[in-house]
Amino acid sequence: EAGVAQSPRYKIIEKRQSVAFWCNPISGHATLYWYQQILGQGPKLLIQFQNNGVVDDSQLPKDRFSAERLKGVDSTLKIQPAKLEDSAVYLCASSLRAGGPETQYFGPGTRLLVL
Amino acid sequence: QKEVEQNSGPLSVPEGAIASLNCTYSDRGSQSFFWYRQYSGKSPELIMSIYSNGDKEDGRFTAQLNKASQYVSLLIRDSQPSDSATYLCAVNPYTNAGKSTFGDGTTLTVKP
Protein backbone atom coordinates (compact mmCIF):
# COMPACT_ATOMS: atom_id res chain seq x y z
CA GLU A 1 0.00 0.00 0.00
CA ALA A 2 1.49 3.34 -1.02
CA GLY A 3 1.88 5.89 1.74
CA VAL A 4 0.95 9.54 1.89
CA ALA A 5 2.74 11.48 -0.83
CA GLN A 6 3.75 15.11 -0.56
CA SER A 7 5.53 17.52 -2.84
CA PRO A 8 7.73 19.39 -2.98
CA ARG A 9 9.99 18.03 -0.26
CA TYR A 10 11.83 21.31 0.18
CA LYS A 11 11.03 24.89 -0.71
CA ILE A 12 12.92 28.13 -0.17
CA ILE A 13 11.12 31.41 -0.83
CA GLU A 14 11.42 35.03 0.14
CA LYS A 15 8.93 36.67 2.45
CA ARG A 16 5.81 38.01 0.76
CA GLN A 17 6.04 35.37 -1.95
CA SER A 18 3.42 32.66 -2.33
CA VAL A 19 3.89 28.91 -2.12
CA ALA A 20 1.73 25.82 -2.55
CA PHE A 21 2.07 22.31 -1.21
CA TRP A 22 0.42 19.18 -2.54
CA CYS A 23 -0.70 16.03 -0.75
CA ASN A 24 -2.01 12.73 -2.02
CA PRO A 25 -3.41 10.60 0.83
CA ILE A 26 -3.51 6.85 1.09
CA SER A 27 -6.11 5.49 -1.31
CA GLY A 28 -9.54 5.24 0.30
CA HIS A 29 -8.74 7.40 3.31
CA ALA A 30 -11.64 9.70 4.07
CA THR A 31 -9.90 12.13 6.40
CA LEU A 32 -6.97 14.35 5.52
CA TYR A 33 -5.03 16.63 7.84
CA TRP A 34 -2.51 19.41 7.32
CA TYR A 35 -0.15 20.11 10.21
CA GLN A 36 2.52 22.75 10.73
CA GLN A 37 5.54 21.65 12.74
CA ILE A 38 7.94 24.38 13.81
CA LEU A 39 11.40 23.22 14.86
CA GLY A 40 11.37 21.97 18.45
CA GLN A 41 7.57 21.83 18.66
CA GLY A 42 4.91 19.24 18.09
CA PRO A 43 2.72 19.28 14.99
CA LYS A 44 -0.10 21.81 15.09
CA LEU A 45 -3.28 21.03 13.18
CA LEU A 46 -4.06 23.63 10.52
CA ILE A 47 -7.03 22.03 8.82
CA GLN A 48 -8.91 18.73 8.81
CA PHE A 49 -10.97 17.52 5.85
CA GLN A 50 -13.52 14.76 5.86
CA ASN A 51 -13.91 13.73 2.23
CA ASN A 52 -14.04 17.17 0.59
CA GLY A 53 -15.62 19.06 3.49
CA VAL A 54 -13.81 21.01 6.21
CA VAL A 55 -14.19 19.57 9.72
CA ASP A 56 -11.86 21.90 11.60
CA ASP A 57 -9.87 24.92 10.44
CA SER A 58 -9.85 26.82 13.73
CA GLN A 59 -6.07 27.18 13.77
CA LEU A 60 -5.62 28.07 10.10
CA PRO A 61 -4.46 31.69 9.64
CA LYS A 62 -7.10 32.41 7.07
CA ASP A 63 -5.71 35.79 6.10
CA ARG A 64 -2.78 34.07 4.42
CA PHE A 65 -3.38 30.33 4.38
CA SER A 66 -5.90 28.46 2.27
CA ALA A 67 -6.50 24.80 1.58
CA GLU A 68 -8.75 22.74 -0.58
CA ARG A 69 -9.48 19.10 -1.19
CA LEU A 70 -11.15 18.71 -4.51
CA LYS A 71 -13.10 15.50 -5.17
CA GLY A 72 -12.20 14.26 -1.70
CA VAL A 73 -8.78 12.98 -2.71
CA ASP A 74 -5.74 15.23 -3.28
CA SER A 75 -5.28 18.41 -1.32
CA THR A 76 -3.32 21.63 -1.70
CA LEU A 77 -2.25 24.06 1.00
CA LYS A 78 -1.31 27.59 -0.06
CA ILE A 79 0.41 30.44 1.75
CA GLN A 80 0.10 33.92 0.31
CA PRO A 81 1.96 36.04 1.27
CA ALA A 82 4.53 34.10 3.29
CA LYS A 83 6.09 35.46 6.48
CA LEU A 84 9.35 34.54 8.16
CA GLU A 85 7.47 32.74 10.94
CA ASP A 86 5.93 30.35 8.39
CA SER A 87 9.27 28.54 8.18
CA ALA A 88 8.37 25.04 9.28
CA VAL A 89 7.69 21.51 8.10
CA TYR A 90 4.21 21.08 6.66
CA LEU A 91 2.94 17.57 7.28
CA CYS A 92 0.01 15.94 5.56
CA ALA A 93 -1.66 12.95 7.20
CA SER A 94 -4.62 10.77 6.38
CA SER A 95 -6.82 8.31 8.21
CA LEU A 96 -9.21 5.67 6.96
CA ARG A 97 -12.58 6.51 8.44
CA ALA A 98 -14.26 9.77 9.22
CA GLY A 99 -14.77 11.04 12.72
CA GLY A 100 -13.16 8.33 14.77
CA PRO A 101 -9.85 8.09 16.63
CA GLU A 102 -8.20 6.49 13.67
CA THR A 103 -4.52 5.93 13.14
CA GLN A 104 -3.09 8.86 11.24
CA TYR A 105 -0.46 8.12 8.63
CA PHE A 106 1.93 10.95 7.96
CA GLY A 107 3.61 11.87 4.73
CA PRO A 108 7.30 12.83 4.57
CA GLY A 109 6.52 16.53 4.91
CA THR A 110 7.50 19.66 3.01
CA ARG A 111 10.26 21.69 4.63
CA LEU A 112 9.67 25.41 4.00
CA LEU A 113 12.25 28.11 4.60
CA VAL A 114 11.13 31.72 4.27
CA LEU A 115 13.98 34.21 3.88
CA GLN B 1 -1.18 26.29 30.18
CA LYS B 2 -0.60 24.12 27.14
CA GLU B 3 -3.29 21.59 26.26
CA VAL B 4 -0.75 18.75 26.17
CA GLU B 5 2.46 19.01 28.19
CA GLN B 6 5.58 16.89 28.05
CA ASN B 7 9.04 17.28 29.53
CA SER B 8 11.25 18.35 26.66
CA GLY B 9 14.20 16.39 27.95
CA PRO B 10 16.62 15.35 26.83
CA LEU B 11 16.10 12.08 28.64
CA SER B 12 19.15 9.88 28.58
CA VAL B 13 19.12 6.21 29.58
CA PRO B 14 21.68 3.43 29.17
CA GLU B 15 21.03 0.60 26.75
CA GLY B 16 18.85 -2.08 28.33
CA ALA B 17 17.25 0.26 30.85
CA ILE B 18 13.62 1.31 31.11
CA ALA B 19 12.76 4.70 29.66
CA SER B 20 9.73 6.46 31.15
CA LEU B 21 8.02 9.26 29.26
CA ASN B 22 5.17 11.29 30.70
CA CYS B 23 2.41 13.48 29.33
CA THR B 24 -0.35 15.50 30.97
CA TYR B 25 -3.38 17.02 29.29
CA SER B 26 -5.87 19.70 30.23
CA ASP B 27 -9.10 18.63 28.50
CA ARG B 28 -10.86 16.29 30.91
CA GLY B 29 -13.15 15.19 28.09
CA SER B 30 -10.31 13.72 26.04
CA GLN B 31 -11.03 10.23 24.81
CA SER B 32 -8.12 8.96 22.75
CA PHE B 33 -4.41 9.05 23.44
CA PHE B 34 -1.50 8.31 21.19
CA TRP B 35 2.27 8.04 21.33
CA TYR B 36 4.26 8.83 18.20
CA ARG B 37 7.96 8.40 17.58
CA GLN B 38 9.73 10.94 15.41
CA TYR B 39 13.28 10.46 14.25
CA SER B 40 15.25 13.58 13.40
CA GLY B 41 14.21 14.90 9.99
CA LYS B 42 11.42 12.33 9.64
CA SER B 43 7.66 12.40 10.08
CA PRO B 44 5.84 11.05 13.17
CA GLU B 45 5.08 7.35 13.33
CA LEU B 46 2.37 5.93 15.59
CA ILE B 47 3.67 3.40 18.12
CA MET B 48 0.86 3.12 20.68
CA SER B 49 -2.76 4.12 21.14
CA ILE B 50 -4.79 3.81 24.34
CA TYR B 51 -8.42 4.61 25.04
CA SER B 52 -9.26 3.29 28.52
CA ASN B 53 -7.68 3.55 31.95
CA GLY B 54 -4.92 1.11 32.76
CA ASP B 55 -1.99 -0.39 30.92
CA LYS B 56 -1.65 -1.49 27.33
CA GLU B 57 1.40 -3.50 26.29
CA ASP B 58 2.84 -4.00 22.82
CA GLY B 59 6.22 -5.67 22.73
CA ARG B 60 8.72 -3.53 24.60
CA PHE B 61 6.25 -0.65 24.85
CA THR B 62 3.65 -0.09 27.56
CA ALA B 63 1.22 2.82 27.56
CA GLN B 64 -0.46 3.78 30.83
CA LEU B 65 -3.53 5.99 31.09
CA ASN B 66 -5.05 7.63 34.16
CA LYS B 67 -7.98 9.83 33.14
CA ALA B 68 -8.70 10.95 36.70
CA SER B 69 -5.20 12.41 36.99
CA GLN B 70 -5.14 13.42 33.31
CA TYR B 71 -1.86 11.81 32.47
CA VAL B 72 -0.61 9.23 30.05
CA SER B 73 2.80 7.65 30.05
CA LEU B 74 4.95 5.45 27.85
CA LEU B 75 7.43 2.92 29.17
CA ILE B 76 10.07 1.47 26.90
CA ARG B 77 11.69 -1.66 28.29
CA ASP B 78 15.11 -2.92 27.26
CA SER B 79 15.85 0.40 25.57
CA GLN B 80 17.96 0.21 22.41
CA PRO B 81 20.03 2.91 20.68
CA SER B 82 17.50 2.70 17.84
CA ASP B 83 14.87 4.01 20.26
CA SER B 84 16.68 7.34 20.33
CA ALA B 85 14.12 9.79 18.95
CA THR B 86 11.58 12.39 19.98
CA TYR B 87 8.39 10.94 21.43
CA LEU B 88 5.21 12.90 20.87
CA CYS B 89 2.09 12.56 22.95
CA ALA B 90 -1.21 13.29 21.16
CA VAL B 91 -4.65 13.67 22.66
CA ASN B 92 -8.03 13.63 20.88
CA PRO B 93 -11.13 15.28 22.31
CA TYR B 94 -14.59 13.78 22.57
CA THR B 95 -16.00 16.50 20.35
CA ASN B 96 -13.78 15.61 17.40
CA ALA B 97 -12.32 12.17 17.85
CA GLY B 98 -10.24 12.56 14.71
CA LYS B 99 -8.45 15.74 15.79
CA SER B 100 -5.10 15.31 17.56
CA THR B 101 -3.45 17.91 19.75
CA PHE B 102 0.24 17.17 20.13
CA GLY B 103 2.67 17.93 22.89
CA ASP B 104 6.09 19.30 21.97
CA GLY B 105 7.74 15.96 22.55
CA THR B 106 10.41 14.44 24.77
CA THR B 107 13.79 13.69 23.23
CA LEU B 108 15.15 10.32 24.31
CA THR B 109 18.76 9.27 23.92
CA VAL B 110 19.72 5.65 24.58
CA LYS B 111 23.46 5.32 25.14
CA PRO B 112 25.24 2.07 24.19
Side-chain angles (χ1 to χ4, degrees):
Chain A
E1 179 183 70
V4 177
Q6 290 188 248
S7 68
R9 293 295 308 277
Y10 304 92
K11 191 75 176 178
I12 300 175
I13 62 172
E14 294 187 350
K15 60 183 180 183
R16 292 188 289 273
Q17 286 187 323
S18 62
V19 65
F21 312 127
W22 173 81
C23 172
N24 182 241
I26 294 173
S27 178
H29 279 200
T31 310
L32 185 148
Y33 311 82
W34 282 103
Y35 290 91
Q36 179 194 58
Q37 187 173 23
I38 294 171
L39 187 64
Q41 298 182 17
K44 182 182 81 172
L45 181 69
L46 294 175
I47 189 166
Q48 175 187 355
F49 290 98
Q50 180 174 309
N51 297 310
N52 61 349
V54 176
V55 176
D56 189 312
D57 64 356
S58 57
Q59 298 188 97
L60 185 75
K62 297 180 184 65
D63 58 334
R64 299 185 299 107
F65 285 65
S66 63
E68 61 182 7
R69 188 183 185 195
L70 299 177
K71 301 180 181 178
V73 182
D74 293 9
S75 178
T76 57
L77 175 69
K78 297 179 181 178
I79 308 175
Q80 181 179 7
K83 293 185 175 181
L84 297 177
E85 58 261 37
D86 298 332
S87 295
V89 177
Y90 290 83
L91 295 163
C92 179
S94 68
S95 61
L96 180 60
R97 288 194 291 264
E102 294 290 322
T103 298
Q104 294 186 28
Y105 297 88
F106 284 83
T110 295
R111 194 173 299 271
L112 173 68
L113 178 61
V114 182
L115 301 176
Chain B
Q1 182 189 12
K2 288 188 175 181
E3 293 181 60
V4 179
E5 297 215 46
Q6 299 180 250
N7 291 327
S8 61
L11 174 66
S12 182
V13 300
E15 184 174 358
I18 296 175
S20 178
L21 306 164
N22 298 314
C23 171
T24 58
Y25 59 94
S26 60
D27 182 359
R28 190 169 286 277
S30 300
Q31 296 291 307
S32 312
F33 308 87
F34 304 88
W35 283 100
Y36 288 81
R37 178 175 61 202
Q38 187 172 30
Y39 292 114
S40 181
K42 301 295 184 182
S43 56
E45 171 193 15
L46 181 69
I47 53 173
M48 289 288 288
S49 59
I50 187 166
Y51 307 111
S52 54
N53 281 329
D55 294 359
K56 179 181 178 182
E57 187 174 319
D58 184 0
R60 297 186 295 112
F61 299 96
T62 299
Q64 300 174 316
L65 174 61
N66 184 324
K67 289 186 178 180
S69 299
Q70 294 175 243
Y71 85 80
V72 57
S73 63
L74 179 70
L75 299 178
I76 306 175
R77 291 182 300 281
D78 187 24
S79 295
Q80 301 297 310
S82 58
D83 295 326
S84 297
T86 296
Y87 289 81
L88 299 164
C89 173
V91 175
N92 291 24
Y94 174 78
T95 52
N96 178 355
K99 174 182 178 179
S100 290
T101 298
F102 284 80
D104 288 338
T106 298
T107 300
L108 172 67
T109 300
V110 181
K111 296 186 175 181

